[in-house]
Structure formats: C-alpha cells, structure tokens
Amino acid sequence: MNAILERLAGVAQNPYEYVKAWKQEHGGRAVGTLPMHCPAEVIHAAGVLPVVLQELADPITSGGGAFFPFFCGYTRSLVDQATEGKLDFLDAISFTDHCVQLLSAADVMRIARPQIRIHFHQLIAALDEACSLENSVGILHSMATDLEETLGVTITEDDLRASIRLFNENRQLIRSIYDMRRSGSIRLRATQMQHIVKSSMIMDKQEHNALLRELLPQLQQAGKPPRDALPMYASGHLCHAPRPEILDLIEDCGIAIIDDDLYHGYRYVSTDVDESIGDPILGIATAYLNKNDNAPCPTRLAPHTDWNIWLRDKVTECGAKGLIVLLAKYCEPHYFHYPRIKATFESNNIPHLLIETEHEGIAMENLRTKVESFAEITKRRQ
Amino acid sequence: MSAVTEKEPVVKKANRLQVTKLNNKMVNQYWEDLFHAKEQGKLVCWTEGIQINPILQAADIAWCHGEAAAALMAARKESAVPQAHMETLGYDRELCSYARTHIGCGILNQSSTVEAQTLLDVDGRTLGSKIPPPDMIISAYPFCSTGQQWDNEVYRTYGKKVPIFNMSLSWTWGNKPSAKYMSGPEYRENVAFLKKQLQDCIRFIEGITGKPYDWDRLTEIMTYTKKAAELRLEAMQLCKARPSPASFFEWTNSIAPVNFLPGGPEIVDYFAQKKAEIEARIAQGVGSVPVEKYRLWWDGIMNWNKIGWLSDKFAGYDACMVAGRYTHMGFWQEPQVIDVRDPLDGMAQNYLTCPISISAPQVIEKIIEHCEFYEIDGLILHAARTCRAFSYPQFMIADAVGKRLGLPVAMFEGDMVDETFYKDEIVNSRVEAMLEAIDASRARMR
Ligand code: SF4
Ligand code: SF4
C-alpha cells in the first residue's frame, strides 16, 4: 500500500517530471489543460496525454514582471512557469474555463511564450439557460476539431467512448476511496487523498487506474482505524491544491478531514459521463452541465444550486463536526460565495473556520493557534 | 524641467468644456427618472456590462446600470458606505469595487440598518435605497467572469425571486490565424451566438412585459445612438490637434450618453455641441490644459473618485491626457457596423469589441494605432486593483508600446471606486520619472 501511495505522491510532488518521462518512454505527446471544467476526455481521445497544469511552490520570479501580484496564486504561478520556460515540454495547451484571472493568465502566457500553442474554447458558464446544452455541444465539437488540426490526428466517436470509459473508471475508483474514507472504514490523511487525486490529473489514466485497482484492496485490508480525531469537512480551494503542509498542520491538531469538495479532491471526480448516451460529445456536454449538482462551483451560474446549502447538507451527512474553508487569496468566485457560506453555517450553528492561503505561504504558527482553538471550540460544542 | 520638483507638484486648472454641464444635467435627470420609475408604473431592470439599455428602452423598461450606479456613488463621495456594509457581511475588499458598491446598494435598499441610515440624501432617504429594486436582472458581461458573478449575487441578494436572464459573451481568443479584429469565422460565430442570445433576451422581456416587442422603437433609438456615437468619434479625432482641445478626462465625463442614458435627440445634440465647442477651440488654438508640453495616453479603467482632481493634476504637469483605452476603444466604438433597421448584429459586434472583449494581442495593436494617431509621448497605466479584466495586459502593453514606439510608461495602482487603493505619492514619483524620460529623449533628438 505504501509503495503505491508513495508512487502517487511522487507524481503529485513532481508532476512535470512524470510527464517528461512519460513522453520519452512512450514517444507520445502531452497537452496541458487548465482547471476546472476542461473535459480532458476529448484531449485524451486525440491520443495524447492530458495534463492539468499545477501551481508550483517555486517563488514567482520573471513572471512577476509580466503579471500583477493581485491575481490568485495559481494564475501567477502559471505565468511564471511560462516565462521561466517550465512549460516548454508541452505540445499545446487547451482550455475551456473563463474565470477572468485564468483567461488573463493564458493571454499573458501566450505573448510571453509564443512557442507554446494555447487554444481556448469557452464553455458556457450559465448552466441553466435554454441554449446551454446546444452551445456546450458546439464548443466541444470545435475543441475536438481544433485538436485534430493542431495535432494532425483524427478523433473518432469510438476514441471518445474509450476515453470516457477510462476516465469514468478512474473517477469511480477514486470515489470508492472517498466512500470508504467517509464511512470511517479506512483512514487516509488529507495529503494522501490529495496525492491520489492530483496524480490522476497528471498520469496516464490507464496506469493510474491499474495502481488504484491494486491500492483499493490493500486499503481495505489495512482495517478500520480508531476514530479519535475530530471529523471535519474541507471546502473550496479552487484550481490549485492547498499546500500539503497546511493540510498536515490541520490534521496534526487533532482533526481528520473525512470529506471535501476541493478541486484537488472530490470536485475533480464528482461526475461521470453517461456512457449510455449514444453521442459521446453529447454525453460529455451533459455531464458538464450536471456536474454542478454534484459539486457546486462558484465559477458557474446555476440559479437552482446553492453552494452554501449544499455544503451544510454534505457536512451533516458525512458526520463531520464542522467545516474548514480553504480560500486562495484573490480568488473572486470564492470571495463572492463565502459570505453566504459563513451566514449559513452561523445560522445553523455549525462551526466553521476560514483559512486564506497565499502562493508565498502563510504564517504557520499563527495558523496552528487558529486551528487548535477552532478544534477546541468545536469539541466543546459537541 | 519645470514639472519635476522636490516639492508638491503644481496643480493647474484644466480648461473644462462648457458642454459638460449639459452632460451633468442629463445624468441628473436620468437618475431622478430612475428613482421615480416605479411611481410612473415602470418595470426596472438591473444590468451591468454591455449597453443593453436601448433594448430595454424600446420595451419602456427603466434600467439601473451597476457600474453607473457605483460611479455615481463615488462621484458623490458616498461609495464608502455600501462598500463598508459589504465588508461587514464578509465580502472581501479585493472583489470588484463596482460590484461591491452596487450589491451594497441592493442590500441597503432592502434594509433599514444603521449603516443604511447613515447614507442619507437631502430628502432623508439613502441614495442606495433610492435606486428602485429590480423587477428583472439581465446579465451580459463581456470577458470578465466577475461581471456574471456580480449579477448572480444581485439575484441571490433579492432571494432568487427576481427573474434573471444570463447572457454569455464569448471571447474571441484567436485559435486560428484567420481570427482578426472584427473578422474571421471565430469572430462571426461569437457574434451570431450573442445575436441569438439578444433575441432570446427580447423574448424574456416580452414574457415579463406581456407585450410584443417594439422593434420600430429599437430602430429609432439605435438611430440616435449610432448618430451620437459617430459624432463622438469625430469629435475625439479632432483632438489630434495641437494643443489638444479636449482631454481623456473630458471623454470620461461623456461616457453616460453612450453607456446608459436613453437614446434620443438629446444625446445627439450633446455630441454635436461638444464637437462644435472642440472645433471652436481648435480655431482659437485653445488647449485642454493651459500649457501642453506632453501628450499622454491613459490606459485602464477610470478612477472615478479622482477624475476632476487628476485632470488638474496632469494640467499641473503641463501634460494633456489626450486619449485612453477606456474611452477611445469602447462605448459604441464601431458605430458604422450598426444597421439601424436590423440592429442586433451590429450591437453584438460593438459589445464584442469593447476594450476588455478583445484579447491582448489586438488590444496592443489598437493602442499602438491610437498612440500614433494622437502623437502620444508617454503612457499612464492605471492598474485598477479590483478590475483585473482591465489591468491584466498592462505589462504587455508597456512592453510592446515601449519597444515599438519607444514611449516611456508610468504605472501605478488605483481603483475605479475604492479610494483606498490609490497612493498619491507613488503617482507623483512615477509620473515625474516618466516626464523626465520624455525630456531626456527629446534632448537626445535635438
Ligand atoms: S477560479 Fe479562483 S483560483 Fe481559479 S483561476 Fe479563478 S481566481 Fe484563480
Ligand atoms: S472587475 Fe472590471 S470588468 Fe469585471 S465586473 Fe468589475 S468592473 Fe467589470
């Protein structure tokens, strides 16, 4: 078990090294994607490795002269990776989300590093409009056509179906780990869970699935751990992974994160593509529009969904005693929604703690004090 | 050089155009009409972003344009209260200040909190509360996702009870070399998608008013709008003259007629008068600033709390801010493509080519064109802290314009309506350094 977890952790910690090695080994090509909704199945169906580009912990250097410091850490890191030439190993970048900061970063990246081909196909953010499905289908078709032209390949419906199957299996495997973790039948630390999901964003899905299939029984055999820690739900942190040291610090304060809606967590695997829908592009578009019900996203417009209410219900359902909101500084979509989350948790008398993270890091000792007292207060309220 | 000094910079009074008073009168009238719209039996729509007001006007619906409301609050020095109210509720001050101010008005207009009561207008009502609550919300924001989320917050602030129509404006990224400014299949697809959404939006309006849409009225309104926009562009181009008869600040003072005022003969007359006043100044050799030693470009969204003050400040530097991205590249900036008998396509084209709806490579080309046309000596880059949509390409603009035209730049942080992000000392030192660079380069040329 540890060997597999270590392998996944290794990929999560050095994502681009894996991709470079994979390219060399397979003589294949890799296409970067940007979070959070780009359907990587379409890229995979083109016969290349889709890779969700990650925030790197490296300090911002040359990118600081190309992009303002008041953008989220993820986008600042992306720009810096481009200006530093760290993304030159990619054969292209294809993305579909139009968070203003993400799109801004991509526009800066393509000027700063013209050798990287960056293509954008805007998926509609308004999910409930009459035109949402038709438009999504159209956009996905043009994304596929564009990939065909850029990469000189043909994407068939069967290619898409095969990719959908592979990705669905990966999501299902990870979700079953989530189920076990939620029920308390296994104990995985939050960083280990993050490594599992983050490595899935990078690795060849076939290889990842094989590792997960091996891992699952081992996790089960390891048995039920004693549940002495305070169960907690973690929410937020869009686009990039919260730093492992923050997750470790939280769990070292007598807390066990048992469920989450993090992008580097449940959000990434929340929704499968319905394989019974004959047209695979229609299937992907439908999954895209439905995904918000399984993990409401503040970058999407879906009047019928309330992230705050959904979160309250999820926290209660999984048996968590409270909520930890991880918010990346300058992330406007999250800023817009946080006051409602706060109000809902306050009015329902469910403890919650806001932790704002920054690319440059945060004062860990202050954080420890904050988390310890939050854990204390939560325990007393029980 | 005279402008650079260790002491406090000299402030000179800029020559304001007389016609601006007419603009202010029209703006005041608009707000008065809006404050009393419900009493006159009108439905009210809240909207931000693109200028969909002609579409609403044709259906006899009153509108509150969110940015305009926020700018009004800032101009009347009253934006701090709704902003503080939002901060109390947990909205971070890094969020778009327009959105914070406008949503704050929405919250104030529903509440009778102590904070709300502190924002008293002369007749004892809060300015925020005087904006009538919406009967419908139309979200139509180009490029900036924050705009959509702002509308979503307004919708939720009113308990999800007010019908909302969400339009999605596609950004022409340029996946293929065929994608050019206002041409190419990718651009045309995006225009067609927006046009279709505008048609759907009109059906949404019909559903609310229960009346068939008055397309003839839209043609009439767009005829005035187009004419006003053409006169505005002609008048702007006259400012190529030396000294420049009007400045960027005078154009920011004339945004309302092409952004949210009703389309009618008044806005045409306004720009006709403005053009005539500019022509008269040219004939008399009168400039917008008492001495025009430097001609500058303002890049970025306007700092509404500071508009008159900045205008005098730059006059004090003997610098005329001749043109800018916000004014000269937006607000019915391409009127020639509007066919008033069938206006939706042309309207969509204008919406999709506003300065945040075109990508950085095209923004840069356009700015270079303008800088060459207006014979600009240097660029002021106002990095609006909470409008990332406007500020993000500024390093690239500085780099490209510097390399291609050899122009120096001064970049400083500020904001649209949140004063706290603006630091006067930094502005002084950066602007002075830039003017020194212009002097040095002129000395080399001699
Ligand atoms: S959603 Fe948030 S984290 Fe993601 S790019 Fe936008 S601002 Fe950054
Ligand atoms: S950030 Fe700028 S472009 Fe975006 S909604 Fe606010 S004012 Fe508009």
Side-chain angles (χ1 to χ4, degrees):
Chain A
M1 174 174 108
N2 281 345
I4 298 173
L5 287 173
E6 268 165 33
R7 164 90 178 119
L8 300 179
V11 175
Q13 282 152 359
N14 291 299
Y16 302 157
E17 294 316 309
Y18 170 89
V19 182
K20 286 177 208 163
W22 182 92
K23 282 184 72 170
Q24 205 157 29
E25 198 183 317
H26 294 81
R29 289 182 288 179
V31 171
T33 73
L34 307 183
M36 289 183 284
H37 299 279
C38 185
E41 289 90 333
V42 182
I43 298 170
H44 183 268
V48 298
L49 178 70
V51 179
V52 181
L53 300 186
Q54 302 292 327
E55 185 206 28
L56 301 181
D58 307 353
I60 306 292
T61 51
S62 56
F67 211 45
F68 289 101
F70 45 81
F71 281 69
C72 73
Y74 178 65
T75 51
R76 290 169 58 221
S77 173
L78 274 186
V79 169
D80 194 63
Q81 290 172 40
T83 55
E84 287 291 299
K86 290 178 184 164
L87 298 175
D88 290 355
F89 67 92
L90 291 169
D91 294 282
I93 295 175
S94 176
F95 73 112
T96 57
D97 277 47
H98 93 293
C99 169
V100 59
Q101 300 194 28
L102 193 72
L103 203 38
S104 299
D107 211 13
V108 171
M109 285 159 75
R110 72 162 155 184
I111 291 188
R113 207 76 182 165
Q115 56 270 60
I116 309 176
R117 279 177 297 179
I118 307 180
H119 286 190
F120 172 59
H121 297 275
Q122 184 173 332
L123 273 178
I124 188 164
L127 305 177
D128 290 353
E129 299 305 316
C131 64
S132 301
L133 182 62
E134 189 192 333
N135 182 254
S136 304
V137 167
I139 293 293
L140 293 175
H141 273 297
S142 59
M143 177 186 172
T145 310
D146 192 25
L147 282 165
E148 288 179 325
E149 285 171 18
T150 308
L151 301 169
V153 295
T154 307
I155 303 174
T156 66
E157 288 205 350
D158 283 341
D159 293 330
L160 282 162
R161 285 192 196 99
S163 299
I164 288 170
R165 256 195 313 280
L166 195 64
F167 277 61
N168 275 350
E169 186 191 355
N170 188 256
R171 286 184 279 252
Q172 284 155 14
L173 286 164
I174 296 177
R175 285 206 306 274
S176 63
I177 298 177
Y178 263 97
D179 290 341
M180 293 191 286
R181 185 169 170 246
R182 215 178 278 127
S183 70
S185 63
I186 60 164
R187 171 81 181 102
L188 270 180
R189 283 180 66 88
T191 35
Q192 290 174 313
M193 198 66 233
Q194 183 185 98
H195 291 152
I196 291 171
V197 177
K198 192 173 172 186
S199 57
S200 160
M201 295 173 169
I202 309 297
M203 283 175 84
D204 182 338
K205 283 279 191 282
Q206 209 125 29
E207 189 185 352
H208 202 255
N209 283 351
L211 288 170
L212 292 181
R213 271 188 246 111
E214 229 183 294
L215 176 68
L216 238 71
Q218 294 180 16
L219 284 172
Q220 279 158 331
Q221 277 156 23
K224 202 170 167 157
R227 203 182 231 193
D228 47 3
L230 189 66
M232 203 58 73
Y233 190 102
S235 167
H237 226 276
L238 310 174
C239 296
H240 51 316
R243 296 278 164 82
E245 56 268 29
I246 293 179
L247 298 177
D248 284 341
L249 182 150
I250 294 170
E251 297 204 314
D252 289 347
C253 293
I255 285 172
I257 294 172
I258 59 161
D259 201 356
D260 68 72
D261 71 358
L262 305 172
Y263 176 62
H264 283 71
Y266 190 79
R267 182 177 297 284
Y268 180 67
V269 295
S270 74
T271 306
D272 292 336
V273 177
D274 185 347
E275 291 174 44
S276 70
I277 298 177
D279 172 357
I281 289 285
L282 180 63
I284 295 173
T286 308
Y288 163 66
L289 296 177
N290 292 340
K291 192 168 24 163
N292 207 61
D293 293 341
N294 300 334
C297 178
T299 68
R300 307 290 103 176
L301 300 181
H304 77 274
T305 326
D306 302 303
W307 192 19
N308 48 330
I309 305 294
W310 182 91
L311 262 178
R312 180 199 63 193
D313 296 345
K314 285 288 158 198
V315 169
T316 317
E317 270 168 34
C318 74
K321 299 296 175 210
L323 170 76
I324 293 183
V325 174
L326 292 155
L327 191 154
K329 194 169 171 69
Y330 304 118
C331 175
E332 290 169 284
H334 204 170
Y335 280 150
F336 268 122
H337 281 257
Y338 173 67
R340 276 175 217 291
I341 295 171
K342 177 172 174 261
T344 302
F345 277 74
E346 277 170 4
S347 65
N348 285 273
N349 211 16
I350 307 172
H352 94 281
L353 175 72
L354 171 69
I355 299 175
E356 192 162 332
T357 70
E358 281 192 65
H359 177 79
E360 280 68 23
I362 50 178
M364 295 297 269
E365 273 321 300
N366 291 351
L367 179 63
R368 185 180 301 281
T369 315
K370 213 168 141 180
V371 176
E372 278 171 351
S373 75
F374 172 67
E376 242 350 276
I377 291 165
T378 308
K379 270 186 204 147
R380 259 190 266 134
R381 280 222 222 155
Q382 279 184 66
Chain B
M1 58 173 266
S2 61
V4 179
T5 159
E6 293 293 302
K7 292 182 248 125
E8 275 291 297
V10 183
V11 174
K12 290 183 189 164
K13 204 101 192 109
N15 288 330
R16 310 270 196 272
L17 288 169
Q18 288 302 313
V19 74
T20 307
K21 288 185 194 133
L22 178 56
N23 174 77
N24 298 347
K25 200 172 142 209
M26 289 191 296
V27 169
N28 288 338
Q29 188 59 53
Y30 161 81
W31 287 109
E32 275 311 305
D33 289 347
L34 179 63
F35 294 155
H36 298 105
K38 297 249 166 160
E39 292 148 40
Q40 285 155 15
K42 284 201 173 187
L43 292 168
V44 175
C45 176
W46 280 28
T47 183
E48 312 29 276
I50 59 173
Q51 300 77 39
I52 58 159
N53 47 303
I55 292 176
L56 295 162
Q57 191 186 344
D60 208 21
I61 295 169
W63 59 91
C64 172
H65 189 259
E67 293 93 325
L72 171 84
M73 304 287 281
R76 294 195 185 173
K77 307 273 173 239
E78 285 175 341
S79 50
V81 175
Q83 288 169 12
H85 196 64
M86 291 291 279
E87 209 168 335
T88 313
L89 289 172
Y91 290 90
D92 199 283
R93 57 189 284 274
E94 288 293 344
L95 274 172
C96 165
S97 58
Y98 271 166
R100 276 187 285 133
T101 311
H102 186 224
I103 301 165
C105 288
I107 292 168
L108 288 171
N109 96 6
Q110 299 180 83
S111 78
S112 55
T113 58
V114 178
E115 290 91 335
Q117 295 311 312
T118 59
L119 189 62
L120 293 179
D121 200 52
V122 272
D123 59 354
R125 292 175 63 200
T126 67
L127 190 54
S129 74
K130 287 171 83 174
I131 296 173
D135 299 296
M136 69 189 86
I137 302 160
I138 295 178
S139 176
Y141 224 100
F143 175 63
C144 182
S145 53
T146 301
Q148 283 188 321
Q149 285 151 16
W150 164 4
D151 291 308
N152 186 45
E153 273 312 300
V154 171
Y155 174 69
R156 286 170 191 273
T157 296
Y158 284 95
K160 301 207 292 185
K161 293 196 180 85
V162 178
I164 182 165
F165 186 83
N166 282 306
M167 268 186 259
S168 297
L169 280 70
S170 315
W171 210 46
T172 305
W173 170 266
N175 289 313
K176 296 195 175 64
S178 60
K180 296 274 183 306
Y181 181 75
M182 296 191 86
S183 72
E186 198 179 329
Y187 171 74
R188 283 307 316 171
E189 270 167 34
N190 291 342
V191 171
F193 181 43
L194 181 53
K195 187 178 166 188
K196 185 186 168 301
Q197 292 180 88
L198 290 170
Q199 283 158 341
D200 291 345
C201 178
I202 287 170
R203 274 192 284 280
F204 165 81
I205 289 170
E206 284 176 326
I208 290 179
T209 60
K211 289 189 214 142
Y213 193 71
D214 192 342
W215 289 96
D216 291 339
R217 181 96 178 95
L218 181 63
T219 293
E220 189 192 335
I221 294 162
M222 286 312 295
T223 307
Y224 290 123
T225 303
K226 180 175 175 173
K227 185 69 200 157
E230 284 168 346
L231 283 167
R232 174 175 171 265
L233 291 187
E234 286 162 18
M236 276 178 164
Q237 282 162 6
L238 289 174
C239 297
K240 184 180 170 58
R242 282 177 184 266
S244 179
S247 74
F248 163 81
F249 299 109
E250 299 283 2
W251 296 113
T252 56
N253 278 333
S254 296
I255 292 294
V258 277
N259 191 23
F260 64 90
L261 293 187
E266 299 80 9
I267 62 168
V268 175
D269 183 48
Y270 171 70
F271 284 113
Q273 285 193 41
K274 183 155 184 164
K275 190 178 166 198
E277 194 178 344
I278 285 172
E279 282 168 335
R281 278 194 174 184
I282 293 171
Q284 293 155 11
V286 174
S288 175
V289 291
V291 180
E292 182 184 292
K293 197 170 160 198
Y294 311 99
R295 293 167 70 87
L296 305 178
W297 168 269
W298 178 280
D299 191 82
I301 199 164
M302 194 45 216
N303 191 328
W304 293 106
N305 307 85
K306 299 268 168 199
I307 181 166
W309 191 83
L310 279 169
S311 149
D312 293 342
K313 181 185 190 73
F314 280 96
Y317 283 124
D318 296 338
C320 180
M321 197 73 64
V322 179
R325 174 153 60 113
Y326 177 66
T327 45
H328 288 58
M329 287 166 59
F331 307 103
W332 305 114
Q333 67 287 354
E334 301 289 356
Q336 74 288 352
V337 298
I338 300 170
D339 172 358
V340 293
R341 285 153 309 174
D342 182 13
L344 294 189
D345 189 282
M347 291 167 81
Q349 292 206 59
N350 273 270
Y351 300 150
L352 291 177
T353 50
C354 80
I356 53 169
S357 204
I358 55 175
S359 60
Q362 289 182 359
V363 165
I364 289 167
E365 290 311 314
K366 283 267 144 201
I367 291 177
I368 286 173
E369 265 175 41
H370 281 287
C371 287
E372 286 181 322
F373 179 81
Y374 288 107
E375 297 172 347
I376 297 293
D377 301 314
L379 270 68
I380 299 291
L381 296 139
H382 169 234
R385 169 78 171 228
T386 70
C387 182
R388 292 160 181 91
F390 244 104
S391 37
Y392 86 87
Q394 288 178 326
F395 284 106
M396 294 179 288
I397 292 169
D399 187 55
V401 177
K403 276 189 191 132
R404 304 243 306 260
L405 302 181
L407 300 184
V409 302
M411 193 186 284
F412 57 83
E413 234 180 74
D415 194 64
M416 307 80 89
V417 291
D418 189 336
E419 283 199 72
T420 57
F421 290 116
Y422 177 88
K423 300 277 172 295
D424 202 23
E425 323 75 66
I426 295 176
V427 179
N428 291 342
S429 64
R430 304 249 162 103
V431 171
E432 286 166 15
M434 183 189 72
L435 299 179
E436 270 180 4
I438 297 173
D439 284 345
S441 119
R442 283 177 180 169
R444 279 196 301 275
M445 306 283 271
R446 261 188 234 124

